[in-house]
Every structure is written in C-alpha cells, then in structure tokens.
Amino acid sequence: MSKISKVEIKPFVESIYLKPFRMSFVENGTERNWDLMEVHDSVAIIIYNISRDVLVLVKQFRPAVYYSQIPLVDRKEIIDTAKYPAALGMSIELCAGIIDKELSTVEIAKEEILEETGYSVPCDQIQFVSSYASGVGTSCSLQTLYYCEVKDDMQVTKGGGVDDEFIEVVEMTVPEIRQYISGKSIMSPPSFLFGIYWFLLNKAKAEV
C-alpha cells in the first residue's frame, strides 16, 4: 500500500505527456469552444493465469482518483493526508502503458506485461481484442486492448513497474472479480470494466 505526504496542488506547467489546447468550431450554426488535452495513445492487457485460474491485475496510486475523493471544501493548496490517506487514490486496473516508443502496439504490450507483472509473454501469444477512444470528453487518444494467458512458470520477475512506479500485482478469481465489478463505487477506469466484461463473456469458464 502506498503512503503519501506533502501533497500540494500547483498551477499547471509545461509537460511532455500533456498538451492542453482549445478547439473552436461551429456546430449547427452555433459557435462553440472545447478545451482538450493531447495525450499519448496507450495499450491495456487482460492477463489470465491459467495455472491458478486468476486474473492478473495491477493496483496503484492515481492522483486524479485521489483528488476526486477530496470534497471541494478541502481541495486547497495543501492537502491534509492524515484526513485523506493514499488509500482513497488506489485504483485496480488492467496492466497498461502509454505508447511512447517506435514499437508496434503488441510489442509495447509485451514490455508492459513484463515490467508491471513480471510475466514474459511472446508477442504471438498476445491476442488483439479491440481499439477504442479513451477519455472522449477531454483527451484525444486511442487505447488498444489485448488478451493473453500465462502460467506460473512464465513469471520471471516480481513485476511492480520501473523507475519511480509503485505498482502492486493483484490476483482475483472470477467470483472475486464478479463481486468487485458489482460494487456501487468502483475505483477503476471504464477500460478496465470493458476488458473484464469482455473476458467474462468470451474467456471465463462456465460456473457450475
């Protein structure tokens, strides 16, 4: 579990990952403006461990999730982390990553699987599922979803990400994942839900 401290809300500065801009246009004779954010395309991977019948997921602290859980009255420059602990910002997700290299999407998916979960999976064992728009309200990106099956002997490291990433590998059985997505407050992105429902519809074993 991550621990956070010294949380400060600061003005936006130039970023290599985000490019904010405004689009103006005329729609049905009405002039409109829309604020957008240019971001990297990405990949996400549904990973199913067939040795133990578990989905392999990742859990990490997401500042945007954390911020959304803080009431407006307390969204000040300095956030009280004793009152609002890191647990509020923990998100369970599919293994995923941005496309920031001159590689194919399946090659990037292979890298992300290894970095985040520790499984070494050949590209020809990674199945394409779908590509879809991500963050249609404010961002301009495409996410490509893949599926792969792994075995215990394919895990060559503990995973956990690289550099300054703090990623926890989480395993869930099918009954556990069904219970999780049935909750009333799910701290996971829509792409996670799409991937899980795709898995349940197309790959999960019939429950007796």
Side-chain angles (χ1 to χ4, degrees), residues 107-123:
E107 289 172 322
I108 290 181
K110 171 184 167 65
E111 284 193 355
E112 293 297 335
I113 295 168
L114 180 61
E115 290 174 2
E116 294 192 356
T117 70
Y119 289 94
S120 179
V121 185
C123 286

Side-chain angles (χ1 to χ4, degrees), residues 14-157:
E14 186 176 353
S15 168
I16 61 173
Y17 298 106
L18 306 174
K19 179 184 176 183
F21 62 98
R22 172 167 292 184
M23 178 187 291
S24 61
F25 56 98
V26 176
E27 181 178 13
N28 298 328
T30 301
E31 293 185 3
R32 301 186 64 190
N33 291 306
W34 203 274
D35 294 329
L36 302 169
M37 189 79 72
E38 184 177 315
V39 300
H40 286 287
D41 291 339
S42 62
V43 297
I45 312 97
I46 309 158
I47 305 172
Y48 186 56
N49 184 318
I50 59 176
S51 295
R52 288 177 289 107
D53 292 331
V54 292
L55 283 156
V56 181
L57 309 166
V58 297
K59 187 176 185 180
Q60 57 189 311
F61 176 77
R62 291 296 195 183
V65 174
Y66 178 75
Y67 185 76
S68 73
Q69 299 302 300
I70 300 172
L72 288 173
V73 67
D74 285 339
R75 291 182 185 178
K76 303 173 182 178
E77 291 184 3
I78 305 297
I79 302 298
D80 183 352
T81 55
K83 187 176 182 180
Y84 302 108
L88 294 174
M90 300 305 293
S91 174
I92 295 177
E93 307 171 12
L94 300 176
C95 171
I98 61 173
I99 299 174
D100 58 353
K101 301 177 183 178
E102 292 298 322
L103 297 173
S104 67
T105 54
V106 70
E107 289 172 322
I108 290 181
K110 171 184 167 65
E111 284 193 355
E112 293 297 335
I113 295 168
L114 180 61
E115 290 174 2
E116 294 192 356
T117 70
Y119 289 94
S120 179
V121 185
C123 286
D124 62 3
Q125 294 182 28
I126 303 174
Q127 174 189 342
F128 171 80
V129 175
S130 182
S131 291
Y132 44 82
S134 178
V136 295
T138 56
S139 65
C140 323
S141 65
L142 186 74
Q143 184 167 83
T144 301
L145 181 66
Y146 289 96
Y147 170 77
C148 71
E149 295 180 350
V150 299
K151 297 179 180 178
D152 285 342
D153 60 9
M154 296 169 67
Q155 190 170 27
V156 296
T157 73

